[in-house]
Amino acid sequence: MKNKKLFRLIVGFSLFCLIYIIISQKPLGHELHLTPDWAVSIDRIQKKKDGDALIPFRLGQTIGYFTEDGRVISAIPYPYNATISNTYYTTYGADSRETEILSTEGEKIGTIAAAGFPFFDENRLFMFLPGGTALAEFKADGTKKWDYEYYAPITAFDSTAKGTVVGFSDGFVVSFDSNGNIDQQYSPGGSEIQVILGAGISKNGKYIACVSGQKRQRFVVSEKNGEHSKIIFYEYLPKDFSRQVAVAFNEASDTVYYNYNGGIGIVNLNTQKSAHIPVSGIVSQIEESTEENLVFVLSHDEKSYTVTIIEPFSHVAGTFSFDADYTFMQIRGNKLFLGKNNKIFRMTISKN
């Protein structure tokens, strides 16, 4: 039985690599290489070793952690919903009155004694409170760090170590520093119908960006300027759409990416110039390899997934596609990790 599973895993990995090689021959340049390293099934659980750096994953109704060398440490099924980060995870139901905070090893660290929908981002623990108009951040022991309540529903959210940004259905945007103090708040305006469909905050906490409005929809970047916000860039989108979108800054906080119906917008904050790259489907992740200075965009159209690789400032270095029921993407250094159904694959990124 084990031999049959191993055989199927090897065949699946080989097919994945073959598809990658066939597709990449056309779009990928000669200087960029993605070398397949290994594939592992998430049901092959192994023990954690001292010093292991764990990487979170979410595939279908399973969350867990794996190591860079291909050992799956945990695979936890959940019936309703879950949230997981590099540091903590939890599972919860539709009517949960409290949320347990669990370590990567599954040990209970604390309890958030509040109803709502938790979201864990790195070591930051947030709770979207009932009613959809308020949120709070909690410490690891479950005590409240800060909270904020508004009258309109939350429609966009992002956080970094330097702060948090929240967008609302009435077109209002507010950002907080790491202690929960408000440092920017304004309405971008410029559209007939006000709503924030996506928001992001830079890694240094200096900039916030959002996709704003309906009917003359636009992308707006603002800079923290003392106690005020200064809009430093905006552009109107070529076509309106009405779904939530991804907005992400790079690690250096000098470039911001956002998606819209049919493409990715890229803004260089140093030059305040923008570029647009066609991308089909819905963008679910934007991840950066700082080691290789590349950005990877994961998008999907139903069960067809595409990874688009972007070099500074806006050059498409390559794309490849694959079919899956569900997937995820993570990057650590020059390693690209992709989930495909119940398997995880690793590729090494290199340029020469």
Side-chain angles (χ1 to χ4, degrees):
M1 191 68 177
K2 288 184 178 179
N3 290 335
K4 287 183 178 179
K5 285 185 178 180
L6 181 60
F7 176 76
R8 285 198 297 267
L9 183 61
I10 293 172
V11 170
F13 185 45
S14 300
L15 287 174
F16 185 84
C17 295
L18 179 61
I19 292 170
Y20 161 72
I21 292 169
I22 292 172
I23 295 175
S24 66
Q25 283 179 346
K26 184 176 180 179
L28 288 182
H30 296 294
E31 296 183 354
L32 175 63
H33 303 276
L34 297 179
T35 306
D37 295 327
W38 51 253
V40 64
S41 174
I42 62 173
D43 59 10
R44 297 184 61 192
I45 308 299
Q46 300 186 52
K47 291 184 178 180
K48 181 180 181 295
K49 298 177 182 178
D50 291 341
D52 276 342
L54 300 185
I55 304 170
F57 74 86
R58 181 172 184 162
L59 286 171
Q61 292 296 118
T62 303
I63 58 171
Y65 293 93
F66 66 96
T67 64
E68 191 170 310
D69 61 2
R71 287 175 290 113
V72 177
I73 305 304
S74 61
I76 304 145
Y78 60 92
Y80 178 71
N81 214 337
T83 180
I84 188 168
S85 72
N86 292 341
T87 314
Y88 308 111
Y89 77 90
T90 193
T91 63
Y92 59 96
D95 56 354
S96 297
R97 300 287 181 178
E98 60 181 28
T99 297
E100 289 188 344
I101 304 168
L102 304 173
S103 70
T104 55
E105 287 80 21
E107 299 174 351
K108 181 179 175 181
I109 296 175
T111 300
I112 298 175
F117 300 94
F119 175 71
F120 296 173
D121 187 5
E122 303 292 347
N123 62 345
R124 300 178 293 278
L125 309 173
F126 296 96
M127 179 73 74
F128 295 93
L129 303 175
T133 61
L135 81 158
E137 184 178 359
F138 291 83
K139 299 177 183 178
D141 62 1
T143 58
K144 187 186 296 184
K145 188 175 179 181
W146 60 268
D147 62 5
Y148 181 81
E149 185 173 3
Y150 194 61
Y151 71 89
I154 296 170
T155 53
F157 172 86
D158 187 36
S159 80
T160 69
K162 293 292 186 178
T164 301
V165 61
V166 186
F168 296 91
S169 63
D170 68 344
F172 189 64
V173 179
V174 57
S175 70
F176 310 84
D177 64 20
S178 57
N179 294 315
N181 302 307
I182 295 175
D183 57 15
Q184 288 197 58
Q185 54 182 334
Y186 68 102
S187 295
S191 303
E192 185 175 322
I193 302 172
Q194 302 303 310
V195 63
I196 304 301
L197 295 177
I201 185 168
S202 61
K203 301 298 187 292
N204 62 10
K206 185 178 180 180
Y207 305 103
I208 58 175
C210 66
V211 174
S212 169
Q214 289 280 298
K215 296 185 178 180
R216 296 208 82 194
Q217 202 163 57
R218 65 180 190 163
F219 179 70
V220 180
V221 183
S222 67
E223 179 182 5
K224 183 178 177 181
N225 186 16
E227 297 180 356
H228 304 282
S229 299
K230 177 184 177 182
I231 293 178
I232 60 171
F233 178 89
Y234 75 89
E235 64 181 3
Y236 288 98
L237 276 59
K239 184 179 179 181
D240 275 11
F241 57 96
S242 57
R243 64 170 184 266
Q244 289 182 314
V245 297
V247 178
F249 286 83
N250 67 345
E251 192 67 31
S253 297
D254 60 13
T255 305
V256 59
Y257 302 81
Y258 71 96
N259 76 286
Y260 55 89
N261 192 17
I264 286 282
I266 308 170
V267 179
N268 184 317
L269 299 179
N270 292 329
T271 63
Q272 295 191 7
K273 292 183 178 180
S274 68
H276 296 265
I277 295 172
V279 172
S280 61
I282 299 171
V283 172
S284 54
Q285 283 184 259
I286 302 173
E287 303 288 340
E288 181 183 14
S289 170
T290 54
E291 188 168 313
E292 296 297 336
N293 202 18
L294 295 168
V295 169
F296 292 72
V297 178
L298 177 65
S299 61
H300 67 96
D301 186 359
E302 294 184 350
K303 295 184 178 182
S304 177
Y305 289 84
T306 298
V307 177
T308 303
I309 308 165
I310 303 171
E311 290 181 315
F313 144 71
S314 58
H315 171 69
V316 177
T319 65
F320 65 92
S321 301
F322 57 95
D323 292 333
D325 294 318
Y326 33 79
T327 187
F328 77 89
M329 179 173 68
Q330 290 272 18
I331 294 176
R332 295 292 186 274
N334 69 335
K335 307 297 181 184
L336 169 65
F337 301 92
L338 281 175
K340 181 174 182 277
N341 299 337
N342 68 334
K343 297 180 177 64
I344 300 172
F345 301 85
R346 190 185 84 173
M347 299 179 185
T348 295
I349 310 162
S350 61
K351 293 190 293 184
N352 56 34

PDB file of all heavy atoms in Angstrom, residues 130 173 257 266:
ATOM      1  N   PRO A 130     -18.826  40.534  15.796  1.00  0.00           N
ATOM      2  CA  PRO A 130     -20.163  40.354  15.219  1.00  0.00           C
ATOM      3  C   PRO A 130     -20.761  41.670  14.743  1.00  0.00           C
ATOM      4  O   PRO A 130     -20.598  42.714  15.374  1.00  0.00           O
ATOM      5  CB  PRO A 130     -20.959  39.784  16.399  1.00  0.00           C
ATOM      6  CG  PRO A 130     -19.944  39.088  17.241  1.00  0.00           C
ATOM      7  CD  PRO A 130     -18.702  39.937  17.135  1.00  0.00           C
ATOM      8  N   VAL A 173     -11.369  55.015   4.895  1.00  0.00           N
ATOM      9  CA  VAL A 173     -10.162  54.232   5.157  1.00  0.00           C
ATOM     10  C   VAL A 173      -9.509  54.748   6.427  1.00  0.00           C
ATOM     11  O   VAL A 173      -9.392  55.967   6.618  1.00  0.00           O
ATOM     12  CB  VAL A 173      -9.152  54.336   3.992  1.00  0.00           C
ATOM     13  CG1 VAL A 173      -7.894  53.530   4.298  1.00  0.00           C
ATOM     14  CG2 VAL A 173      -9.765  53.853   2.698  1.00  0.00           C
ATOM     15  N   TYR A 257       1.462  46.662  -5.471  1.00  0.00           N
ATOM     16  CA  TYR A 257       0.773  45.872  -6.482  1.00  0.00           C
ATOM     17  C   TYR A 257      -0.714  45.787  -6.118  1.00  0.00           C
ATOM     18  O   TYR A 257      -1.060  45.675  -4.948  1.00  0.00           O
ATOM     19  CB  TYR A 257       1.349  44.451  -6.544  1.00  0.00           C
ATOM     20  CG  TYR A 257       2.829  44.403  -6.838  1.00  0.00           C
ATOM     21  CD1 TYR A 257       3.772  44.605  -5.822  1.00  0.00           C
ATOM     22  CD2 TYR A 257       3.298  44.145  -8.126  1.00  0.00           C
ATOM     23  CE1 TYR A 257       5.128  44.568  -6.092  1.00  0.00           C
ATOM     24  CE2 TYR A 257       4.654  44.101  -8.393  1.00  0.00           C
ATOM     25  CZ  TYR A 257       5.564  44.318  -7.376  1.00  0.00           C
ATOM     26  OH  TYR A 257       6.904  44.275  -7.635  1.00  0.00           O
ATOM     27  N   ILE A 266       0.831  48.061 -11.100  1.00  0.00           N
ATOM     28  CA  ILE A 266       2.077  48.186 -10.339  1.00  0.00           C
ATOM     29  C   ILE A 266       2.452  49.664 -10.287  1.00  0.00           C
ATOM     30  O   ILE A 266       2.497  50.330 -11.324  1.00  0.00           O
ATOM     31  CB  ILE A 266       3.221  47.381 -10.980  1.00  0.00           C
ATOM     32  CG1 ILE A 266       2.790  45.931 -11.216  1.00  0.00           C
ATOM     33  CG2 ILE A 266       4.471  47.431 -10.112  1.00  0.00           C
ATOM     34  CD1 ILE A 266       3.772  45.141 -12.068  1.00  0.00           C
TER      35      ILE A 266
END
